[in-house]
Amino acid sequence: MLPAGQPKFRRRKADRPEEIVRAALTVFASKGFAAARLEEIAAEAGVSKGALYLYFATKEDMFRAVVAQGLAPNLAFIQAAAASAPAFADLARTLAALLPQVAERAPIAAIAKMVIGEARNFPELARVWHDQLVGPVIATFAHAIAAAQARGEVRPGDPRAYAVSLASGLLLGLVFNETFAPVGAAPFDIPALARQHVETVLAGMLTNPGARP
Amino acid sequence: MLPAGQPKFRRRKADRPEEIVRAALTVFASKGFAAARLEEIAAEAGVSKGALYLYFATKEDMFRAVVAQGLAPNLAFIQAAAASAPAFADLARTLAALLPQVAERAPIAAIAKMVIGEARNFPELARVWHDQLVGPVIATFAHAIAAAQARGEVRPGDPRAYAVSLASGLLLGLVFNETFAPVGAAPFDIPALARQHVETVLAGMLTNPGARP
DNA sequence: TGCTAATAACTGACTGGTCAGTTATTTATT
DNA sequence: AATAAATAACTGACCAGTCAGTTATTAGCA
């Protein structure tokens, strides 16, 4: 019996890798690395399992590609913002407004969850994420904070710890929603949480908090 | 050939379950649920694989036992602290000093990592953790914060979001150390981080921050 | 106090199912 | 007709869970 109409597949060598990575992200993010089935990734990508192996050598390679994809854009984004910020408080407020938007589009939280969860099984991924994203971001912030301390804008204290304090509210909110909203928890309004958190921490960090919005 | 000396095992029905749960925690925490091998848990517990099934019906049951073990003591601890705190700022400072000690003894961070990572595969565990630990803790804090707002101690703002702001620094620090210290990252001094974070957030929350330590 | 029978904690080889990865074959495309 | 993208049936390794047999321990009896 010939369906005659549509061909049963198309040859689309150029588009497949991206589609497969996107599908792999979806499945890895919801199941974790080990529990993810290649059949499911293939189905999600609209392709057979064998076809995956035309573009990736192993399941681990797919995982690496997914994690790598979540890396480059974010760091560039943050460092650009840091470079162009006049005062420290402005940088913090700008990021607090922008990051929730980024998090809505790109599944940072899902990827971060995976990196955290699989760090012991894929130490080289944890290393790449630390060396290329988390470390530089903390360092960038700490540097900006230390400079602000030198100018007398920010109170004394460990700049790295201040960086963690600033970022932690948003991150914890994202992880909370990702983890507990599916089981019925009232989710946080992330942009609102980010705004209040950053204003609160800034008010605690700055020597002269000035006008609170 | 008779070894004659030591017997090849001891019968210790009473102690086994606890030992197995401890071993399972070690292995689950380092490998994640799916990648953990029962042979390894058995070896860690000093027992054969078959013996595990004398005490637990399935691998999932062992996971449940591990997660449950990390639950009860913590909530009781926090609610006791909340009940006996005179002013809100004291409660926050007390917990900031005590929680790092708790985290050193009990592997809260490791268990939390597992719950987060496996939440999609074990929704009922995520639900239990939310309903019995995370939710009540947030609610307890939010309640204390709302009361402090009514007394004019704390500035206006969403009490739940304030609760997240307070707790997030410590939690993120714990997760950071757990995830990135093994790959060479400089770990945070958790008690110091907790102290600075809570003082910073308190200074941003309180209407009259008063004397800063 | 020693000897033996009965019990159940424990072992480790085995099995059945699952799934990452391979390959023979089909199909779209030039 | 030639090429290579894609499929789908296949293989082999791995591992959760089982169970027949072994051994430590206790109970009963002398």
Side-chain angles (χ1 to χ4, degrees):
Chain A
M1 168 233 195
L2 298 173
Q6 304 299 335
K8 67 191 282 192
F9 62 84
R10 291 293 166 82
R11 305 174 67 169
R12 291 170 38 246
K13 188 184 168 85
D15 298 332
R16 296 296 192 204
E18 188 187 327
E19 294 172 4
I20 291 170
V21 169
R22 193 160 49 234
L25 167 61
T26 306
V27 179
F28 282 141
S30 83
K31 302 283 176 68
F33 176 79
R37 304 289 146 230
L38 290 187
E39 289 281 11
E40 192 179 349
I41 294 175
E44 178 81 25
V47 105
S48 72
K49 187 169 73 159
L52 301 179
Y53 284 89
L54 298 171
Y55 302 98
F56 297 92
T58 65
K59 186 184 182 183
E60 293 198 11
D61 271 6
M62 289 174 220
F63 189 67
R64 274 181 257 277
V66 166
V67 172
Q69 184 202 236
L71 213 60
N74 298 307
L75 180 60
F77 175 81
I78 287 178
Q79 284 186 329
S84 68
F88 170 69
D90 296 314
L91 168 60
R93 290 195 175 100
T94 304
L95 286 178
L98 289 181
L99 283 179
Q101 296 176 8
V102 174
E104 263 176 39
R105 255 167 287 157
I108 302 181
I111 296 180
K113 233 180 60 179
M114 285 167 36
V115 172
I116 292 167
E118 301 290 345
R120 285 286 204 329
N121 298 327
F122 296 90
E124 96 277 11
L125 280 189
R127 182 170 289 116
V128 168
W129 252 59
H130 175 263
D131 293 352
Q132 295 186 19
L133 183 65
V134 179
V137 166
I138 292 180
T140 299
F141 266 69
H143 189 260
I145 290 167
Q149 284 175 322
R151 292 194 304 270
E153 291 177 24
V154 169
R155 304 182 190 199
D158 175 18
R160 282 180 85 226
Y162 274 138
V164 168
S165 291
L166 265 176
S168 60
L170 170 60
L171 293 176
L172 188 63
L174 287 171
V175 169
F176 178 95
N177 282 3
E178 185 90 12
T179 305
F180 296 119
V183 296
F188 284 99
D189 174 344
I190 295 295
L193 174 65
R195 225 176 301 125
Q196 175 173 321
H197 178 77
V198 165
E199 288 308 327
T200 304
V201 175
L202 275 181
M205 286 176 67
L206 300 177
T207 46
N208 177 13
R212 289 167 62 89
Chain B
M1 167 231 191
L2 298 173
Q6 304 300 333
K8 67 191 281 190
F9 62 85
R10 292 290 166 86
R11 304 174 65 173
R12 293 171 37 246
K13 186 185 170 84
D15 299 332
R16 296 299 192 200
E18 187 188 329
E19 293 173 3
I20 291 171
V21 169
R22 193 162 48 235
L25 167 62
T26 305
V27 179
F28 282 142
S30 84
K31 301 283 175 66
F33 176 79
R37 304 290 146 231
L38 290 188
E39 289 281 9
E40 192 179 349
I41 293 176
E44 178 81 24
V47 106
S48 73
K49 190 167 72 157
L52 301 179
Y53 286 89
L54 298 172
Y55 301 100
F56 298 92
T58 63
K59 186 183 183 184
E60 293 198 9
D61 272 4
M62 289 175 218
F63 189 66
R64 276 181 255 276
V66 166
V67 172
Q69 184 203 236
L71 212 59
N74 298 305
L75 180 59
F77 174 81
I78 288 179
Q79 285 186 330
S84 67
F88 170 70
D90 296 315
L91 168 61
R93 290 195 175 100
T94 303
L95 286 178
L98 288 182
L99 283 180
Q101 296 175 7
V102 174
E104 263 174 40
R105 254 167 287 157
I108 302 181
I111 296 179
K113 233 181 60 180
M114 284 166 35
V115 171
I116 292 167
E118 302 289 347
R120 286 288 206 323
N121 298 329
F122 296 90
E124 98 276 11
L125 280 189
R127 182 169 292 116
V128 169
W129 252 60
H130 175 263
D131 293 353
Q132 296 187 19
L133 183 65
V134 178
V137 167
I138 292 180
T140 299
F141 266 68
H143 190 260
I145 291 168
Q149 284 175 323
R151 294 194 303 270
E153 290 177 24
V154 169
R155 305 184 191 199
D158 175 17
R160 282 180 84 226
Y162 274 137
V164 168
S165 289
L166 265 177
S168 59
L170 169 61
L171 293 176
L172 188 63
L174 287 171
V175 170
F176 178 96
N177 282 4
E178 185 90 10
T179 305
F180 295 120
V183 295
F188 284 98
D189 174 345
I190 295 295
L193 174 66
R195 226 176 300 125
Q196 176 172 323
H197 178 79
V198 165
E199 288 308 327
T200 304
V201 175
L202 275 181
M205 286 175 66
L206 299 178
T207 46
N208 177 15
R212 287 165 65 86

